[in-house]
Amino acid sequence: MAPFSALGPRTVAGQVFVLQVLIVLLLVVTVGVESALQARRDSAAEARQRSLAVAETFANAPGLAEALRSPDPTALLQPRAEAARIGSGVDFVVVLDTDAVRYTHPMPDRIGKKFVGTTAPALAGESVTEEVTGTIGPLVQAVVPVRDDTGRIVGMVSAGIRTSRVSDSADEQLPVLVGSAAAALALATVGAGLVSRRLRRQTRGLGPAEMTRMYEHHDAVLHSVREGVLIVDREGRLLLANDEAERLLGLPADAEGRPVAELGLDPRTAGLLAAGRPVTDEVLAAGDRLLAVNLRPTDRHGGPPGLVATLRDTTELRALTGRAELARSRLELLYHAGMAVGTTLDVNRTAQELAEAAVPAFADHVTVDLAEPVLHGGEPAPEAPMRRAALSPAHPDGPFIPVGEPVPLVPGTPRARSLRSGHAVAETDLTEAFEAWRAYDPQRALRVHGHGVHALLAVPLRARGVVLGIATFWRAGRPEAFDEEDVALAEELVARAAVCIDNARRYTREHTMAITLQRSLLPGGLPEQDALEVARRYRPAQAGVGGDWFDVIPLPGARVALVVGDVVGHGLHAAATMGRLRTAVHTFSSLDLPPDELLGLMDELVNRIDQDQATDHGQAPITGATCLYAVYDPVARRCTLARAGHLPPAVVRPDGTVEFPDVPAGPPLGLVGLPFERAELDLPEGSKLVLYTDGLVEARGHDIDLGLDLLATALARPDRDPEQTCEDVLGALLSDRTTDDVALLVARTRVLPEDRVRVWEVPAEPTAVRRVRAEAARLLADWGLDELAFSTELILSELVTNAVRYGRPPIRVRLLHDRFLTCEVSDGSSTSPHLRYAASTDEGGRGLFLVAQCSDRWGTRYTDSGKVIWSEQRLP
């Protein structure tokens, strides 16, 4: 108690002490009350903010709008709402429809009832926060609208906290505030006593020696630091400058006490010191140095008006920063180039991406030249000619050789040296190079020189030990040449791009091989026939070759078979399988089978292919193929067709009516055991039969029904021939990049004139042979085919004789005058004769041998009522 004995109430120090205690007490009470009230206000504000934040977050959650449109929003949203309520600490998260009916609630019995609160602003697109008395008592709640992708309001979300929780939170802080106030009062009382004692004893502080020593220490520290320190008063006079400040600014010896404007400083530095505004790390030039200046006022804490400035020499730091920035920019260039180069498997596009990646960050112009074999997927030869593959920027009036043109490698130039050595060559003096270029192409050399090109960097494009070409970086607008770091950067950039170009080259080679294989397996041209006027189109997919195919096969009796098929998948396997199936169709069509029977044989073949693959590879892949086979008879004007999992054909009537006939849809090929059915269509002359694969009408952007509608619209033009119809269809349905192969056949029907067809009913008696021969001779004379009369009589004699002897009625003879003279003899028997060599002692067995000798082709086909033996003779 001794130290406080002088603070009695009768003394001035005691009265000051009592007054200070009363003032502090009043301030503590005031601050305590205000803090309590502020705590309550802050808690309420926090409740509003938290409610609004939770409601907005849940309203913007992905999938909320789709859930509101679902058949049972409560089942989808209740678990999510409860999880959000528990995770965020609010009392409820409720999802409402636009009529304010609850979809979710912490109390399940409240779901489906009307929401208590204001929802009109939310329905108008605004968020609202309010204090209401709801189903769980007085609370603070926020209501937020929910919008779908089009911006339309499809519901609302409300989140809230009970007012009692807010009050409880504020009350919990009250003991802390009271304790803090008591502690502050105690500390203030002790502090007031200490201040009074210090005031009473302030003249009993340090002595002169201690004060002098403290000043000397302060002065030593001030003048030994590595930062310059200046103190300037409010009138702009320099009050203090340490040694470092005098060195950095070159101040005179008598600088202290003089106005800053008279110290001969740089105008910008003098103006900055005179302005008196706070500054942080502003860089100023002082001779050959760069100074970082910081200014702060000295009167912030009751000091005298003025400012204090600190100066720091950052010249070396700036140089290091510049080199670091350059390194960062180069790494950024490599990063962006790695992302931009090689986005496709196209050689030219990859080369162009390399050129664009280096302009303008690294060079003003970039040219990329590749060996001509590389552009087509081949291996580059050592002396292969170069062709420009990329140029950036690609100005039409630029000085460089444009893209697509051959590029010579002039001996003695940096580019030629780079290719010969296989290493990068940087050239800063292009005088000799310009002389060499001028001797080869003087006009272009002058244009390049006049464009300001002064430096180049040539880097070979090398990948997997093979030089693919050369990339050349040119500088014209920027004065600096290429240094060693630029060479390293260019080599890294070109090395990455070379691998991408080589990958694209290899892909191009394989793709070209696959395309070549596929096109070799498809028909090169259409066979000659008079029954149909046919046009065809084939478009391979951009992603690779596929298994679509088509065919036009002439059949005996002036008939023609049309085939369209599709093997599932892409690549060489699909193309090879397509070739096998196309060959099989040709083979089976030579048997002159009905379409449904032919597809049955194809079905067994595909199944055997699958079994062979399972044996070879230890697995059982499914080939998967579809096919449509149609046979058109120009005499009967009828088309017989069957399909195996394929899309139905389109028929365009002569009047322009388009229909998709209901042809029975058989299963895809390979599912052995399921039958195929055929259909028959009567086609008037001039009708168009359109066969196609699914790549024509199926696309990612629409379903197959829309594709068929577009096809029908494109076909509904009766005035177009098959070639024009193909162009109309492809133009209407295909884009530039197709994802699947497309095969299209358009066939316009013709009719064999009635005067070119003759049919006789033949009685089953030997004497009928003579009458048939006589009538055939007269008919050939009318047709002007007298040269074929003898051979035709011989063929008919043998065939009719066989039908009479070994066949069954009815027996018919039909002669057709088309591209061939066709003789057909039909009977009701299904027994087919066989060609054989008769011995010299045999009395018979030479009939079919004679038929074969007199005919170009002959054969047998089976019908529903028997068989037909036919023979074709080439017209003279």
Side-chain angles (χ1 to χ4, degrees), residues 43-58 80-95 104-107 129 136 138-143 157-166:
S43 298
E46 181 184 359
R48 288 175 174 269
Q49 294 174 358
R50 185 187 300 180
S51 300
L52 182 60
V54 171
E56 289 181 342
T57 301
F58 195 86
R80 294 171 57 183
E82 285 303 291
R85 177 183 69 82
I86 295 172
S88 60
V90 298
D91 287 316
F92 67 87
V93 175
V94 176
V95 181
T104 68
H105 197 276
M107 301 177 182
T129 305
I136 59 175
L139 49 86
V140 178
Q141 66 182 14
V143 183
V157 173
S158 175
I161 301 177
R162 289 174 297 170
T163 307
S164 58
R165 290 183 59 185
V166 176

Side-chain angles (χ1 to χ4, degrees), residues 492-570:
E492 177 69 19
L493 179 62
V494 171
R496 297 184 183 185
V499 174
C500 296
I501 291 176
D502 190 55
N503 291 337
R505 175 187 69 85
R506 292 169 180 264
Y507 170 78
T508 300
R509 180 183 60 192
E510 295 177 2
H511 185 69
T512 302
M513 291 173 57
I515 289 291
T516 303
L517 171 63
Q518 185 185 40
R519 291 194 180 278
S520 67
L521 296 175
L522 290 172
L526 298 178
E528 295 182 355
Q529 46 82 32
D530 293 332
L532 297 169
E533 180 185 357
V534 182
R536 87 276 195 239
R537 293 291 187 275
Y538 175 77
R539 290 286 180 87
Q542 295 293 329
V545 298
D548 292 15
W549 91 92
F550 61 89
D551 229 325
V552 179
I553 306 172
L555 297 177
R559 296 169 302 133
V560 177
L562 299 177
V563 189
V564 169
D566 183 6
V567 176
V568 176
H570 294 86

Side-chain angles (χ1 to χ4, degrees), residues 399-580:
F400 299 99
I401 296 175
V403 174
E405 296 294 326
V407 179
L409 289 175
V410 182
T413 59
R415 288 158 45 82
R417 297 201 307 271
S418 175
L419 271 181
R420 185 173 60 254
S421 65
H423 297 91
V425 173
E427 189 66 48
T428 58
D429 186 3
L430 298 180
T431 303
E432 295 183 4
F434 277 125
E435 291 297 330
W437 289 330
R438 190 176 290 111
Y440 177 79
D441 190 348
Q443 294 184 354
R444 192 166 296 279
L446 289 176
R447 291 178 62 186
V448 173
H449 186 272
H451 205 69
V453 175
H454 63 85
L456 70 81
L457 173 58
V459 185
L461 283 157
R462 180 187 296 273
R464 301 178 178 94
V466 177
V467 177
L468 306 175
I470 186 169
T472 309
F473 304 89
W474 312 77
R475 283 184 176 173
R478 62 187 76 190
E480 65 273 11
F482 293 100
D483 55 21
E484 294 182 359
E485 294 183 356
D486 291 331
V487 173
L489 174 64
E491 288 178 337
E492 177 69 19
L493 179 62
V494 171
R496 297 184 183 185
V499 174
C500 296
I501 291 176
D502 190 55
N503 291 337
R505 175 187 69 85
R506 292 169 180 264
Y507 170 78
T508 300
R509 180 183 60 192
E510 295 177 2
H511 185 69
T512 302
M513 291 173 57
I515 289 291
T516 303
L517 171 63
Q518 185 185 40
R519 291 194 180 278
S520 67
L521 296 175
L522 290 172
L526 298 178
E528 295 182 355
Q529 46 82 32
D530 293 332
L532 297 169
E533 180 185 357
V534 182
R536 87 276 195 239
R537 293 291 187 275
Y538 175 77
R539 290 286 180 87
Q542 295 293 329
V545 298
D548 292 15
W549 91 92
F550 61 89
D551 229 325
V552 179
I553 306 172
L555 297 177
R559 296 169 302 133
V560 177
L562 299 177
V563 189
V564 169
D566 183 6
V567 176
V568 176
H570 294 86
L572 291 176
H573 173 71
T577 304
M578 175 270 289
R580 299 172 69 178

Side-chain angles (χ1 to χ4, degrees), residues 149-173:
D149 294 337
T150 62
R152 186 171 62 88
I153 296 174
V154 296
M156 297 171 286
V157 173
S158 175
I161 301 177
R162 289 174 297 170
T163 307
S164 58
R165 290 183 59 185
V166 176
S167 302
D168 294 343
S169 176
D171 293 341
E172 290 174 359
Q173 299 177 11

